[in-house]
Amino acid sequence: MAVLTMIGQLLLALTILVGLHEFGHFIFARIFGIRVNKFYIFFDFLFPLPNVLNFALWKKKKGDTEYGLGWFPLGGYVDIAGMIDETKDASQLSSEPQPDEFRSKPAWQRLFVMLGGIIVNIILGVLIFWGVKFVWGDEYYSKAEVNKAGIYAYPLAQEIGLKSGDRIVKVNNADYADFSDVRAALMQENTEFTVERAGEIKQIPVPNDLIDKVASKVPFIEPIMPFHVGEVTKDSPAEKAGLKNGDKIIRIDSIPVTYFQQFQTELDKFKNKKVELLVERGGQQVKLYPVISSESKLGFRAQSELESSTQKYNIGEAFGVGAKEALSVIPNQIKGFGRIFKGHISAGNAVSGPVGLAQWFGGYWDWERFWGLTGLLSMGLAFMNALPIPALDGGHVLVLLYEMITRRKPSEKFMERTQQVGTFILLTLMVLVLFNDTFKALFK
């Protein structure tokens, strides 16, 4: 069920993002009087072979345009008359250009048509971030709350000199309010943590290549988290043993536990074994005897007892904060690419495909997380489409800018060849990303 929930969230997000991206191209084409033959969410053919397995799950003709839902759940497209794209080649444009075709229009109009998807994705991303900030605000763990007990340092953090119980008081010699700022600092180069340990102040430099290990899902640091049992998974070892929502686990075997990371560390010692748990329930102590799974799981959601803070915004404040956060995604993407080229992070760990994206959404439905990730993906989609790769919007934009500057229009044969090269590059990247995603899901 969790897998289906992940897939469902990803498909819904992609349907929204791709549909509105293609609508951006569509609306600018219509503004400039360009005929649009088809407007499809997903492909009605086996991409990238436009003449193979041609059928739609749903379609309807209205005016000159056929609207439809394709069967191949990867992207989508608008078939703009007189334009070479993934649905046609130069041979299909051998006739005289018609006034309502893309190729008949001035370069500046064609430029807006190609930028339409990127523009809409940026607007959509800003609107989503605005809505998320207005409805839910910002929930976070404050520096003061986390530093009551300090951080839990996983082995990766211990390698650079951090220890469990450290209190991070500054990041790059600057104060901070939200613990997420500590994690975000890993995206910066030459980061340094100032920590308080047993009354002493220490400087902990962060190696630039540490981000590569963190990106590969190796745990780094978390707030030390006192907890109680939240939702119990049906038919799990926890449910079979009688563990209930609200129980507080105070001992595993003979070891007292006070926080979740400590509990999980002890749980790892009892894979496929029965263990004694002492829990506090309604002021009484109860002993339970679950059999721990081979993945060191009991089957419940840990409910943090850290007190979170929430910053609420009125509609005007939400727009300012949301727009700033949305627009920061693009420079952060550029910085991320820069760190790939510098060797600080491998491309395999920096890039996620369908499997990785589905895992981001998680195995249960949370609307705040869903819309937050959808807004993030919308801005990411705008950035990726702006890259000057043939077959992407950015590749078309680059050619149009060349035409506008030189006043020389590339031949349709040249456009066909660049489209083919771009499609080959994208397919190769898709295969590599999918393989990388699957490998990480199975073996990491």
Side-chain angles (χ1 to χ4, degrees):
M1 187 63 184
V3 173
L4 291 178
T5 302
M6 282 190 266
I7 294 172
Q9 291 182 88
L10 178 61
L11 284 177
L12 177 58
L14 289 179
T15 300
I16 294 168
L17 296 178
V18 171
L20 290 174
H21 177 90
E22 297 304 328
F23 176 77
H25 296 306
F26 172 84
I27 195 65
F28 276 101
R30 298 309 292 263
I31 287 171
F32 298 126
I34 301 172
R35 187 173 76 255
V36 179
N37 298 320
K38 285 185 173 183
F39 181 176
Y40 266 71
I41 307 297
F42 304 146
F43 292 102
D44 59 337
F45 57 86
L46 183 61
F47 180 83
L49 306 172
N51 298 314
V52 178
L53 296 177
N54 298 101
F55 67 92
L57 300 178
W58 172 87
K59 61 183 178 181
K60 183 178 181 180
K61 188 76 176 278
K62 186 174 181 181
D64 292 330
T65 306
E66 179 181 291
Y67 301 88
L69 178 66
W71 65 271
F72 192 67
L74 180 67
Y77 71 98
V78 284
D79 177 2
I80 298 175
M83 174 183 165
I84 296 173
D85 58 16
E86 65 271 14
T87 66
K88 64 175 77 72
D89 55 35
S91 65
Q92 295 175 266
L93 302 177
S94 57
S95 60
E96 283 296 315
Q98 299 301 307
D100 63 351
E101 289 186 344
F102 178 83
R103 54 183 171 162
S104 299
K105 302 298 180 179
W108 70 270
Q109 292 185 6
R110 286 180 277 134
L111 180 65
F112 272 102
V113 172
M114 296 317 306
L115 288 172
I118 297 172
I119 292 170
V120 167
N121 276 133
I122 291 174
I123 293 172
L124 177 63
V126 170
L127 291 177
I128 289 175
F129 273 89
W130 180 16
V132 168
K133 297 301 179 185
F134 179 64
V135 174
W136 290 287
D138 278 320
E139 186 174 5
Y140 62 96
Y141 291 126
S142 69
K143 170 185 170 181
E145 181 67 14
V146 171
N147 282 347
K148 287 178 181 177
I151 61 161
Y152 181 81
Y154 287 97
L156 180 59
Q158 295 172 27
E159 288 177 15
I160 69 169
L162 290 168
K163 293 185 178 181
S164 293
D166 282 351
R167 291 163 171 82
I168 299 178
V169 293
K170 288 186 179 181
V171 177
N172 293 326
N173 288 318
D175 199 8
Y176 67 95
D178 182 345
F179 184 72
S180 65
D181 293 337
V182 176
R183 295 192 182 99
L186 296 178
M187 288 301 298
Q188 303 174 28
E189 296 183 52
N190 305 316
T191 289
E192 185 176 69
F193 295 143
T194 303
V195 304
E196 179 189 336
R197 180 187 302 162
E200 295 183 19
I201 298 297
K202 296 181 177 292
Q203 303 296 328
I204 308 293
V206 179
N208 284 329
D209 61 357
L210 181 82
I211 185 63
D212 189 45
K213 296 178 181 178
V214 175
S216 66
K217 298 183 179 178
V218 176
F220 180 54
I221 59 172
E222 292 176 349
I224 286 178
M225 188 178 83
F227 76 105
H228 61 264
V229 175
E231 181 182 351
V232 177
T233 306
K234 187 174 177 58
D235 296 326
S236 65
E239 185 188 56
K240 292 174 182 177
L243 199 66
K244 296 182 178 179
N245 191 325
D247 284 352
K248 187 171 181 64
I249 299 171
I250 57 178
R251 194 178 71 203
I252 175 170
D253 196 35
S254 59
I255 307 299
V257 292
T258 56
Y259 55 90
F260 181 72
Q261 294 91 346
Q262 178 192 26
F263 169 72
Q264 189 62 57
T265 298
E266 294 302 320
L267 202 63
D268 286 341
K269 301 174 183 177
F270 296 95
K271 293 180 181 179
N272 298 312
K273 295 180 182 178
K274 181 181 286 189
V275 66
E276 180 183 279
L277 293 183
L278 182 65
V279 306
E280 189 176 275
R281 179 186 298 164
Q284 297 184 328
Q285 294 186 349
V286 180
K287 290 183 179 180
L288 304 174
Y289 298 90
V291 176
I292 310 304
S293 74
S294 59
E295 295 84 24
S296 301
K297 302 291 184 184
L298 260 178
F300 70 88
R301 189 185 304 168
Q303 187 67 47
S304 173
E305 293 182 353
L306 285 174
E307 185 177 343
S308 63
S309 300
T310 302
Q311 175 68 56
K312 287 290 189 180
Y313 305 102
N314 63 37
I315 196 164
E317 292 169 336
F319 179 78
V321 173
K324 181 180 179 181
E325 191 167 327
L327 295 174
S328 72
V329 173
I330 293 176
N332 286 341
Q333 293 270 1
I334 295 171
K335 289 178 184 176
F337 270 85
R339 298 198 68 176
I340 291 174
F341 293 130
K342 291 178 181 179
H344 296 166
I345 180 170
S346 65
N349 287 331
V351 179
S352 288
V355 176
L357 293 177
Q359 291 176 329
W360 284 10
F361 284 98
Y364 62 94
W365 205 290
D366 181 314
W367 282 112
E368 181 181 1
R369 181 174 60 186
F370 171 82
W371 285 115
L373 286 173
T374 301
L376 185 67
L377 288 174
S378 189
M379 299 303 297
L381 185 62
F383 172 75
M384 293 303 293
N385 267 284
L387 294 176
I389 299 173
L392 290 180
D393 297 342
H396 288 280
V397 167
L398 189 63
V399 172
L400 284 165
L401 289 174
Y402 166 82
E403 179 184 341
M404 293 170 72
I405 293 169
T406 65
R407 300 186 181 279
R408 293 173 56 194
K409 187 175 182 179
S411 69
E412 289 169 353
K413 199 65 181 176
F414 172 81
M415 294 300 297
E416 179 186 6
R417 289 287 181 262
T418 58
Q419 185 74 23
Q420 290 170 344
V421 170
T423 300
F424 175 77
I425 293 171
L426 292 179
L427 284 174
T428 303
L429 289 174
M430 284 167 53
V431 170
L432 292 174
V433 168
L434 187 59
F435 173 80
N436 182 62
D437 259 12
T438 305
F439 180 83
K440 288 193 292 186
L442 292 176
F443 302 108
K444 289 191 176 182

